[in-house]
Amino acid sequence: MTEAAETKVAATAPVEQLMQQIADEYESLSRQLKVIAKYVELHKASLMLEKISDIAAACDVQPSAIVRFAQRFGYTGFSEMQDVFRLAYTEQANAAPNYQQRIRKLIASRDDQPNVGELTREFIDASRSGLGELAEGLDDAQLEAAVGLLQKADNIYVVGVRRAFPVASYIAYALQNTNKRVHLVSGMGGMYRQQIRSVRERDVVIAISFAPYGKETLYCARVGHHQRAKLLVITDSKLSPLARIADACLTVTEGSAFAFRSLTSTLCLCQALFIALAYKLELDIEETQDPGGYDD
């Protein structure tokens, strides 16, 4: 690791410690403080630039509630807590505008209607923005834990609904290239309960969900947790209901354009998970024996 990288890790460590503390104590917070916690999680990179009155308005609370939130986690007030984020993210804030900022500026600055090529490039740029955030925010310890869970699993159950369903389908497909028994909980015919009911203690449930969180995914995760299976969660916040019961939690925030969120970062993360697992299992995908085609 370079000296610059080490400095960056050291600067962001207090922020990650605070976010972990918030996640650990989230259930014990009041309703107002939970709203503030979610706001902090989603806006931590820009929090040092925001006024307490603006945050209060966004959370629909009084500024005094923001102060109470900071004091709840050991700070004298909002300004002291804000300094933690300022130390971690000042360099990022002073950097050139990211792709998402460029897209928003472009849309706001023009009156003409973009053509198909321009729309496509803007969405590509939004996806690049999401990939950049994914790389910046990777938690190596959680990645190692996730791969470790998959490596030890007897059975792997994968569930994701609506926008997350293509991701769940992909990772189930990729994992079929290992010797693991993989089950895609598709819910076909409304049979989520029946498809997840056989999960057991030595199994892993991969639950993929983003706000607003799919009730079917939450149900399958609860069943796995109740049956003492391990839970690998891919979600958008450490404060999500899935994260709070996870054995390993990977967070990913997708870039978006024109009110559509990309799946690029989530799919990239899932591909990386599979490659890491294949490496751990010493699996040579290229040399997997083919028993023949359907017509043989």
Side-chain angles (χ1 to χ4, degrees):
M1 184 181 291
T2 65
E3 183 177 347
E6 289 176 348
T7 301
K8 184 173 184 179
V9 170
T12 56
V15 170
E16 294 308 315
Q17 291 169 5
L18 171 59
M19 298 314 303
Q20 186 60 56
Q21 185 182 1
I22 292 172
D24 292 342
E25 301 180 22
Y26 181 80
E27 290 300 332
S28 65
L29 299 179
S30 67
R31 182 189 63 81
Q32 282 191 334
L33 296 192
K34 284 181 178 178
V35 172
I36 298 169
K38 289 181 178 178
Y39 185 91
V40 170
E41 168 72 16
L42 292 174
H43 299 87
K44 57 186 178 183
S46 60
L47 202 69
M48 74 284 192
L49 303 173
E50 300 186 41
K51 297 178 181 178
I52 189 171
S53 57
D54 294 335
I55 298 172
C59 296
D60 195 24
V61 299
Q62 294 296 319
S64 58
I66 310 295
V67 175
R68 289 201 307 276
F69 179 85
Q71 292 174 339
R72 175 69 170 73
F73 293 98
Y75 301 97
T76 57
F78 172 70
S79 295
E80 186 178 358
M81 186 182 76
Q82 198 175 33
D83 285 341
V84 174
F85 293 89
R86 184 174 291 112
L87 177 64
Y89 294 110
T90 296
E91 181 179 342
Q92 177 178 325
N94 291 334
N98 61 31
Y99 284 106
Q100 189 174 50
Q101 291 167 331
R102 293 177 192 174
I103 292 168
R104 289 175 176 172
K105 184 177 180 181
L106 180 62
I107 293 172
S109 66
R110 74 184 186 200
D111 298 322
D112 62 311
Q113 190 170 19
N115 60 39
V116 174
E118 290 173 325
L119 289 173
T120 302
R121 290 181 180 88
E122 288 175 17
F123 199 82
I124 291 170
D125 284 346
S127 297
R128 287 176 178 165
S129 172
L131 285 170
E133 291 187 26
L134 176 64
E136 290 287 335
L138 280 177
D139 186 328
D140 287 14
Q142 288 298 302
L143 283 167
E144 289 284 354
V147 174
L149 292 179
L150 297 176
Q151 190 177 4
K152 297 174 183 177
D154 285 347
N155 292 272
I156 300 174
Y157 293 80
V158 188
V159 58
V161 300
R162 290 176 284 284
R163 188 171 74 92
F165 183 74
V167 182
S169 299
Y170 169 78
I171 195 168
Y173 154 75
L175 290 171
Q176 295 287 353
N177 288 287
T178 70
N179 59 359
K180 301 292 182 180
R181 293 186 290 272
V182 182
H183 313 271
L184 175 62
V185 183
S186 66
M188 184 174 291
M191 294 192 295
Y192 286 101
R193 295 176 185 271
Q194 289 81 0
Q195 291 177 349
I196 197 65
R197 65 186 296 273
S198 59
V199 67
R200 292 295 181 264
E201 185 172 351
R202 292 179 58 84
D203 299 337
V204 169
V205 177
I206 302 177
I208 308 165
S209 191
F210 310 101
Y213 307 102
K215 62 181 181 180
E216 301 91 343
T217 306
L218 292 170
Y219 169 78
C220 292
R222 288 197 302 269
V223 171
H225 183 66
H226 179 74
Q227 296 290 83
R228 298 185 179 180
K230 299 297 183 182
L231 184 61
L232 166 54
V233 166
I234 299 175
T235 189
D236 53 4
S237 170
K238 290 182 179 179
L239 303 182
S240 83
L242 285 168
R244 294 194 290 276
I245 58 172
D247 295 283
C249 180
L250 304 177
T251 57
V252 54
T253 304
E254 290 285 4
S256 63
F258 313 110
F260 285 93
R261 287 175 291 179
S262 170
L263 287 174
T264 306
S265 298
T266 312
L267 284 168
C268 178
L269 180 62
C270 288
Q271 287 177 314
L273 272 178
F274 167 69
I275 292 169
L277 176 63
Y279 179 82
K280 291 281 189 180
L281 296 173
E282 298 182 352
L283 180 65
D284 190 341
I285 300 301
E286 296 300 325
E287 294 185 5
T288 300
Q289 291 187 352
D290 186 351
Y294 294 116
D295 299 330
D296 293 349

